[in-house]
Amino acid sequence: MGSSPDEVIGLFSVDLILPAALWPWGDSASNRNEYQEYSWNILGGTLSDLDKRIIEAFVVFDHASSNTVDVREVGTIIRSLGCCPSEAEIQEILVAVEDEETSGSVRLDRFLLIVSHIIQERRLQPASPEKLLKAFLTLDRDGKGYLTKEFLSKIMMEEGEPFTHEELDEMMGAAIDGETGNIPYEYYINQLMVRSEL
């Protein structure tokens, strides 16, 4: 197939985790309005739909309503926006957005500017269904149309950019066929595509 194992694992490590639940937007309605007004002022009165989405995602993690979030939340916020960054890409973003005055925190205005630019450039997009299928086919050397849970778990934990146990559990919960205990990868890819369109 021409793909190296690291390329194959790299695809899996950033694209195959489904979100466990919808974000709890309802708890932060008053914060959203405050942030929209704050951002409106920062941006000179122009807020795009993308800016509003970024602000909404940011607000969920600003527990102190201080227009800042902990740097440890940045990856989760970016992924909630439909991006699929690797850990290395998250580290690059952190270098760009971390508040120089208050180490360990990220301010909304800086985050909004950087992340909006990244999304508009279409960076950090998930892999296409074709690339995912190619990756699965590379791993399915016998052409069975599925991978065993044990095999895929071992690869995901030991190769490329390893998954955490939580990420692996979340992925397996969505990928495994309840009857066979295997991962029928074409069906799984279709599930990912349908859910990403919702």
Side-chain angles (χ1 to χ4, degrees):
M1 296 264 159
S3 296
S4 74
D6 283 342
E7 290 172 326
V8 171
I9 299 308
L11 276 174
F12 287 122
S13 67
V14 295
D15 291 320
L16 295 180
I17 302 173
L18 292 174
L22 297 174
W23 295 105
W25 302 119
D27 294 340
S28 58
S30 63
N31 285 349
R32 277 200 313 263
N33 292 335
E34 181 182 323
Y35 284 115
Q36 287 171 350
E37 183 178 323
Y38 173 79
S39 297
W40 181 265
N41 292 332
I42 289 172
L43 298 171
T46 57
L47 257 186
S48 69
D49 288 340
L50 174 59
D51 293 334
K52 290 175 187 175
R53 282 184 34 231
I54 294 169
I55 291 165
E56 270 195 349
F58 190 94
V59 167
V60 171
F61 295 94
D62 181 6
H63 305 295
S65 299
S66 61
N67 299 325
T68 61
V69 296
D70 188 291
V71 293
R72 295 171 291 190
E73 305 289 6
V74 168
T76 304
I77 296 169
I78 291 171
R79 287 183 182 106
S80 78
L81 294 166
C83 298
C84 297
S86 67
E87 286 304 314
E89 290 166 325
I90 289 173
Q91 291 306 312
E92 288 176 23
I93 293 168
L94 285 174
V95 168
V97 300
E98 187 171 8
D99 189 354
E100 294 172 5
E101 296 172 13
T102 312
S103 181
S105 67
V106 175
R107 290 190 0 233
L108 173 62
D109 54 348
R110 183 87 178 139
F111 183 82
L112 183 61
L113 179 70
I114 300 293
V115 173
S116 177
H117 183 71
I118 288 169
I119 293 173
Q120 287 173 352
E121 287 183 340
R122 298 201 153 306
R123 293 176 21 203
L124 311 180
Q125 293 295 307
S128 69
E130 294 79 20
K131 281 187 177 181
L132 291 173
L133 180 58
K134 184 177 178 181
F136 274 115
L137 289 170
T138 299
L139 295 174
D140 181 14
R141 296 177 193 242
D142 297 331
K144 299 178 285 187
Y146 66 87
L147 299 174
T148 65
K149 176 184 176 182
E150 295 75 23
F151 175 71
L152 190 56
S153 294
K154 181 179 184 327
I155 287 176
M156 303 304 276
M157 296 297 290
E158 296 176 5
E159 302 291 331
E161 187 174 315
F163 271 35
T164 65
H165 288 288
E166 294 80 22
E167 290 170 330
L168 185 63
D169 290 345
E170 190 172 346
M171 180 200 154
M172 291 299 178
I176 294 176
D177 177 353
E179 291 180 25
T180 65
N182 294 320
I183 297 122
Y185 49 82
E186 286 189 49
Y187 177 74
Y188 179 54
I189 292 169
N190 286 330
Q191 281 184 302
L192 289 173
M193 295 306 113
V194 167
R195 291 183 186 195
S196 69
E197 293 171 5
L198 296 178

